[in-house]
Amino acid sequence: MERNEQPHEEAEETLDQINKKTGRNMPQAIATGAALVILIVACLLLSVDLFVLLVVVFMILALWELRVDFATVGLHLPVFMLWLCSSFTLIATYYSPYHLITMSLSIIVSIILVAIAASAKISVGAPPKKGGGRAQSPTASAARQNSRAPTGISWGLPGKLSNTDASARLESSFNHEGGEQHHSRLSHVAVSVLTVLYIPLLASCVIISLTFNGHPIAHAIMLVFLPALSDTGGLFAGAWLGKHKLSPRISPKKSVEGLVGSMLFAMAGAFAVFACTYDASKWATRWWVPIVAGILIGAVGTFGDLCASMLKRDIGIKDMGHLLKGHGGVMDRVDSILMSAPFTCALLWITGL
């Protein structure tokens, strides 16, 4: 009996060590990743239109997560206007015969409408109390603000705050001794415009890649799966070989070795996609494109991860959400995809692939 328990305990210890090195629950992460791969591949094989709809759904979920994240520090996103404008932008970009023009005009109109909607928000939470008072922890402050906020703002905050690490909140730049956070109307407009530029604009580049040169499935695989493959390469290379920290202050677990692993995995994936898609004549003149794609996706995807980590650290949260078990939120999964999308799309368009 003891002999049977010993291998089981050793396996659990090994798994715990892997989870600590990667910063994730690896069994959950693998299961969730496999489910996402099956879902995306099924949509691509059935219809590219279904894939476009799937991108819209993920974008809606990502916008919801950002709305809750910013609400924890008292910043308001007009989420319904963002949903409406962003969905129209992606769908119109795909179905319009003038894809790039439609995308540009839709983003400009979205910025205007979202800015107006954000500026119409007069206040978030209750007005500040005058006079002294005992300073509160950021989590307690946000919770008290949540209890006084309108229903549209408070919905979703209790769960977010209950899953928030107190040490992360203490490191937030919004951690002030004044208690509740109150922002100017311009602050709400600024974060709302940033959200338009971050999610629908970058997601539009994924949609644009489906519309040229007659290889929508190959383009979708490159823009969605190569950044994910790059993340996987960086995760394993960093966990087993990582010794030189890339940016200790922003993301302590990222390493130079992980960055190299990201590039190599993305490069290998790009070669595989090219081998299954293009003929010998393309290979003869475009053999260097997978190398450039791997370097671009590895570098820009890592930069996207660092940007998301910096945003989370500034707000004082650990994960953007909790919808994807083992990965955090939707934004934790798609940050590198969004950031690398315009570069990969431009590379494919310029090289005629």
Side-chain angles (χ1 to χ4, degrees):
M1 189 72 177
E2 293 179 358
R3 292 179 180 179
N4 292 333
E5 290 179 355
Q6 186 174 359
H8 181 69
E9 291 176 357
E10 291 178 354
E12 286 186 349
E13 290 178 2
T14 303
L15 183 59
D16 288 339
Q17 290 176 359
I18 294 173
N19 290 341
K20 288 179 181 179
K21 285 184 178 180
T22 58
R24 297 180 183 180
N25 185 320
M26 289 307 295
Q28 285 187 351
I30 292 171
T32 301
L36 289 174
V37 169
I38 293 171
L39 176 62
I40 294 170
V41 170
C43 288
L44 285 172
L45 293 178
L46 290 173
S47 172
V48 177
D49 297 309
L50 279 178
F51 175 75
V52 173
L53 180 61
L54 184 65
V55 173
V56 173
V57 170
F58 269 89
M59 182 198 59
I60 288 173
L61 294 175
L63 288 169
W64 172 259
E65 286 182 350
L66 274 186
R67 167 220 165 272
V68 176
D69 294 336
F70 281 122
T72 60
V73 291
L75 289 167
H76 167 69
L77 289 181
V79 67
F80 292 108
M81 182 61 73
L82 280 166
W83 281 346
L84 180 64
C85 292
S86 302
S87 300
F88 176 82
T89 297
L90 297 192
I91 294 173
T93 297
Y94 180 68
Y95 287 105
S96 170
Y98 308 102
H99 308 289
L100 194 58
I101 295 175
T102 301
M103 183 194 78
S104 303
L105 291 176
S106 297
I107 291 296
I108 292 172
V109 172
S110 296
I111 289 174
I112 295 172
L113 292 178
V114 168
I116 293 173
S119 65
K121 183 66 183 178
I122 298 174
S123 64
V124 178
K129 287 185 177 182
K130 294 182 180 180
R134 188 175 61 180
Q136 298 179 333
S137 68
T139 305
S141 170
R144 187 155 67 92
Q145 180 178 344
N146 168 50
S147 67
R148 297 184 180 183
T151 303
I153 294 298
S154 62
W155 188 29
L157 278 180
K160 185 70 180 181
L161 293 173
S162 65
N163 291 317
T164 299
D165 188 359
S167 61
R169 298 289 301 177
L170 290 173
E171 293 179 1
S172 169
S173 63
F174 295 94
N175 175 25
H176 303 297
E177 293 185 355
E180 298 174 10
Q181 299 299 316
H182 300 274
H183 306 279
S184 67
R185 194 173 302 184
L186 183 60
S187 297
H188 302 304
V189 173
V191 296
S192 300
V193 171
L194 172 64
T195 301
V196 174
L197 298 177
Y198 187 26
I199 296 183
L201 175 60
L202 297 181
S204 296
C205 296
V206 178
I207 303 300
I208 285 285
S209 71
L210 308 175
T211 63
F212 59 81
N213 295 340
H215 297 289
I217 294 179
H219 290 180
I221 289 174
M222 288 194 67
L223 268 77
V224 174
F225 287 132
L226 290 192
L229 187 62
S230 173
D231 287 346
T232 303
L235 186 69
F236 285 107
W240 271 275
L241 303 173
K243 293 182 180 179
H244 304 87
K245 299 298 183 182
L246 186 64
S247 181
R249 183 177 177 275
I250 298 175
S251 185
K253 292 185 180 295
K254 291 202 177 296
S255 63
V256 176
E257 293 81 4
L259 175 60
V260 175
S262 295
M263 292 179 178
L264 292 177
F265 268 60
M267 202 179 298
F271 273 111
V273 173
F274 272 58
C276 296
T277 306
Y278 303 107
D279 55 26
S281 62
K282 290 287 187 182
W283 274 99
T285 56
R286 306 288 197 280
W287 58 267
W288 49 270
V289 175
I291 299 175
V292 175
I295 295 172
L296 263 179
I297 292 171
V300 177
T302 301
F303 177 74
D305 287 339
L306 290 174
C307 288
S309 297
M310 187 164 57
L311 179 62
K312 289 184 287 188
R313 185 175 292 272
D314 197 45
I315 295 176
I317 57 177
K318 183 180 179 182
D319 294 316
M320 289 290 191
H322 56 274
L323 293 175
L324 302 179
K325 297 297 183 182
H327 295 268
V330 172
M331 281 301 301
D332 296 295
R333 181 66 279 164
V334 304
D335 49 13
S336 59
I337 295 174
L338 290 175
M339 196 63 73
S340 61
F343 296 91
T344 309
C345 182
L347 178 65
L348 293 172
W349 182 76
I350 291 171
T351 56
L353 297 173

